[in-house]
Amino acid sequence: MNGNIIKSKLLFALFVFMQTFCSVYAQNSGFNLKGRACERDGKSGIGYATVKVYNNTDSVSVYRGVADEAGAFSIGGVAAGNYRVEVTCVGYEDYAARVDVGADTDMGIIKLNEDKNMLDGVTVMAEYSKVKPTGDVVVQVKGNPMAKGKTLVDFMRYLRDLDVADNSISVRGRENTLIYVDDRKVSFEQLKSIDPSMIDRIEIIPHADASYGINARGGIVKVHLRSEGGLLGSVSMYGEADYYSPVRFSPGFNLLYSKGKISIGNFFDSRPYERYRQEYSETSVDEGVKNETHIKGFSYGRSLDENLSFRYSFNKFDRIDVYGGVGIGRGDSRQTSVSSDSETKMSTNDNNRNYNAGLKFVKGLSADGKNYFVLKTEYNKSFENTDNRYAVDITSDMAHRKYNLDGVSVEPYVSVDLTKMSTLSAGLNYYYLIDRHQSQGTETLDYVSDMRFVNKGHDCAAWASYGITIGKLYMRAELNYMWGEQIYKDYLSPENNVTNIERGLFPTFVFQWNINQDKGRFLNIGYFRYYSYPNYYYRSPEVVWQNSQLYSVGNPSLKMQTYNQMQVYFSLNKSWSADYSMDFGNDLVKVLMQPDGSRPGVYFTRPENAGTSMNHTLRLTYSGRLFSFWYSRNTLGAVYMEEKMPGRKVSNANISFRTDNDFTIYKGIGLTMAMSATSKTETLSYENNATYKINFGAYASLLKDKLSLNFVWSNVFYNKNKMKMYGDGWEVTRLTLHSRTRLMLTATWNFSLGAKIKKVNLPTSSGMYRETPTL
């Protein structure tokens, strides 16, 4: 308690010091120069245009600024005099004008012409990127030659600040990165259905403030849709196949319409066909006894997600959003495990559906809209019913489980500009969930027991954030206090009931020094103390069998994890960057394997708060054109990791390399090649062998960029994954046998109809996802 009070006082003192410094600085400032960069219609703003103010006597800029997303800019502290003002933005011709400053000066609407040569020529990717004073990075997608013909995910592979894997995306390699399309949070799968032609820009926020919630410490990737067209949309078709058969077919449809004060958005994603083949071999050695098991199975699935958003704008700064969605899914799996003395067959039929609804209200508190109040509330409802059939040799049995989940969140916050250079924001995040489970276990086989329990919890976080810009330096200090309670109630065995109460004080400090914006040289330093809850379903004590020798079970007693993290990111120029991070974690949740004492040769995985970890990560990144036709993004990384738990310690150093390459054949037509490799890794949970893989691809943008075709031949060359788990007197080794090679084709048709419309950001809510604690 005393430590928390000291931290609060120190942070308050820092707030006072920074505000006093800002006030003194503001008293010595000059006049304000402002304006708005627009397209030729004089209405559609050009976001993040660069503004430079030059003396008449030389070519060195004495003041500079960056427009906001609506094209508006404001440069303070300009001394009286005569200047030459230049406004530039990639894809537009440069604008220049003479301006006399003797008082606060408004340049009004500045119209920029599209630069046809820039849009059609071979351009360096760095020219389409801007670094804001806060350290956020804005990448222009509209008119970007690198975006033509590619899927959005493939285009993102070439952004220096993003790391894109097959099923995830992260900012500078950090976990817990959230993805937004305008104001709506989306999944990685939903992101795949959006074509780059619908996008104006991508904003990368390395250090998100607390308004994004507790799960945003890995940064934010925010995709902003384009503003023009009364009707803007895309239809996409995705197909995937392996050596044996089709794997997946997935159509998607996105639509955005606006007229007057009303805006409507519709986002549809479906997977009517999905089929995956798995094959493994497992070798276990327990007290000198060796057992081999061969596992082969298939999983089938189909699903759809539909989200609808409605907005009414009272005026430029006041609006209300009402949104909701529905998701329906069905999955079936069949698996056969053959060991030396028995054969086990398992089948699963799963039906799930979820509903969500939300409301967001935004109220401007000042004439320029920079001061505002936001209230966001959401409700989620999920159902799942699962039937399991087990057959061991000639004996078979059935089990059934179902769950019913409700979740509610309320998030109000306010942001106020204290001066022209400082902002104070504060808010409250409240979440409540209740998850009801009921399981009917097997009767003949001792696989699954009857269960009836409830997992519920609520947590509240109050936060305040203060940011200030002083010349080339931006600083932000933040304080987050949380209190939470998680309750597990077992109706059949009350002695297993568990209640966990969590609380803590979590500060954040961020510093951004923009050394030279023209060269892209800057230094970013951040310190975070933050917390993370384990996946909600890791607390479910239900048994889920993976094969005849392995099952998983949750842990109702799991506590939250706490971390201290320091990050240093240095950009030498628009091509080269280096970053270092140090993470120290307590009570980390690890999925550990151990033998089942009542079943010889059988093992189970269970998540535990296993101990502490210390990670040091160093990465070097280069992005740029090696030749006029060859663009390459390359990352070399080194990690030293140390994990401890009572009676056990693991230390591991590994290196990794990734390269993504684009070879331009003609405008909008090209080839791609990607390769990644990682040396052997080891944690408290498992150890993995060294891995590598190589992908090839081709793309084309046709019919005036209306039709995009993208082909990827993934895992053309790769090595098999070998995982080993071990403990006191036992060892289990799993070798992946199924082919990972895939042929993937994406076809997208883009369309827009009607007059130009006002920019809209339509949100939607997202449901919970279920994750079984397996290795």
Side-chain angles (χ1 to χ4, degrees), residues 493-504:
S493 302
E495 66 275 10
N496 295 328
N497 292 351
V498 176
T499 299
N500 287 324
I501 295 179
E502 313 279 7
R503 60 172 63 90

Side-chain angles (χ1 to χ4, degrees), residues 575-610:
S575 294
W576 287 95
S577 66
D579 60 272
Y580 164 79
S581 65
M582 184 276 292
D583 295 85
F584 177 76
N586 280 307
D587 297 320
L588 300 190
V589 173
K590 295 292 182 180
V591 180
L592 302 178
M593 178 180 284
Q594 48 192 303
D596 186 333
S598 61
R599 299 182 177 95
V602 176
Y603 299 83
F604 68 93
T605 60
R606 187 173 189 259
E608 304 281 354
N609 292 105

Side-chain angles (χ1 to χ4, degrees), residues 41-56:
D41 62 2
K43 297 178 181 179
S44 302
I46 300 175
Y48 307 104
T50 299
V51 183
K52 297 180 182 179
V53 182
Y54 296 88
N55 279 326
N56 278 327

